[in-house]
Amino acid sequence: MYVVYWTEGKGELAGPRSQGFATGDMKQALNFMEALRMRQRQGDPVSFITMCSEHPDSVGLPGVAETGSDYKWKKRRL
């Protein structure tokens, strides 16, 4: 899943906006972002255009996890 975030408006009228896209719709999300950037270049009050993704079938939990006490890791040097 992809979500495009952007801010629209100026000063106190500026507010956050977002639009979601399905996991297979990355191209549509990128095209949508480019359309926002075109509006920005034309002088519309659009800023902070960014995209975030989260795969619904991810194997692990998001974020940083602590390892268990049985985990032994060594850096190998050649």
Side-chain angles (χ1 to χ4, degrees), residues 9 33 37 44 46 48 60 78:
M33 290 175 67
R37 289 188 182 107
D44 285 354
V46 178
F48 298 102
L78 298 174

Side-chain angles (χ1 to χ4, degrees), residues 71-77:
Y71 183 75
K72 306 287 186 221
W73 180 83
K74 287 189 209 176
K75 183 174 181 178
R76 296 184 81 179
R77 295 183 185 259

Side-chain angles (χ1 to χ4, degrees), residues 3 5 8 21 32 36 41-42 44 48 54 64 73 76:
V3 179
Y5 296 97
E8 203 164 320
F21 295 87
F32 182 75
L36 288 172
R41 287 190 292 270
Q42 293 170 354
D44 285 354
F48 298 102
E54 184 172 283
V64 178
W73 180 83
R76 296 184 81 179

